[in-house]
């Protein structure tokens, strides 16, 4: 196990090179957070496509204000911050509704 000293490109580049020396090959897509270092290293070392992981976005405090209890009625509605794309807001809403449905099913089964 190794600990990188930062998330800079040289650290990620060396890490990915070590993995390729150990046999990693055929990577077509890497999904990660949006650190520039990993994005550059993925392109440089793996020649793979990079995609932003959206799960982390759901956990970030900036998205917690997307949902609010509407007048204390237990009904949650989405607000659209200007800086967030409508596609991402729709995805967050879909995931949130799915989680709420799963919680309801669990509660009704108890």
């Amino acid at each position: 196990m190794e600990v990188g000293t930062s998330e800079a490109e040289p650290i990620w580049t060396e890490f990915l090179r070590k993995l390729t020396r150990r046999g990693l090959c055929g990577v077509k897509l890497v999904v990660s957070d949006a650190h520039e270092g990993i994005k550059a290293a993925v392109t440089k070392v793996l020649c793979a496509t990079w995609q932003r992981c959206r799960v982390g976005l759901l956990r970030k405090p900036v998205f917690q204000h997307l949902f609010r209890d509407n007048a204390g009625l237990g009904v949650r509605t989405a607000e659209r911050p200007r800086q967030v794309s409508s596609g991402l807001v729709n995805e967050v809403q879909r995931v949130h509704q799915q989680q709420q449905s799963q919680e309801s099913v669990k509660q009704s089964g108890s």
Side-chain angles (χ1 to χ4, degrees):
M1 179 188 293
E2 273 185 56
V3 176
T5 56
S6 75
E7 294 193 36
E9 180 184 347
I11 302 295
W12 280 112
T13 298
E14 182 57 27
F15 174 74
L16 293 176
R17 283 186 178 143
K18 285 179 182 178
L19 289 178
T20 57
R21 285 193 297 268
R22 292 177 60 195
L24 178 68
C25 62
V27 176
K28 296 185 188 310
L29 175 67
V30 173
V31 179
S32 74
D33 56 11
H35 288 285
E36 295 301 317
I38 193 168
K39 289 166 58 176
V42 162
T43 302
K44 180 191 275 183
V45 177
L46 302 176
C47 301
T49 302
W50 175 86
Q51 178 180 312
R52 173 78 158 107
C53 178
R54 294 184 180 197
V55 172
L57 293 176
L58 297 174
R59 295 187 181 127
K60 290 190 183 245
V62 71
F63 286 97
Q64 291 180 8
H65 73 278
L66 288 175
F67 299 97
R68 62 178 168 79
D69 189 342
N70 208 2
L73 301 175
V75 178
R76 295 170 75 83
T77 58
E79 299 174 318
R80 289 181 184 241
R82 279 175 241 147
Q83 73 275 15
V84 178
S85 75
S86 62
L88 183 56
V89 170
N90 290 338
E91 185 174 342
V92 170
Q93 287 175 322
R94 182 186 60 74
V95 169
H96 177 73
Q97 288 169 351
Q98 190 175 35
Q99 289 173 342
Q100 292 295 95
S101 294
Q102 290 170 352
E103 288 175 17
S104 296
V105 168
K106 285 179 186 175
Q107 289 175 357
S108 67
S110 318

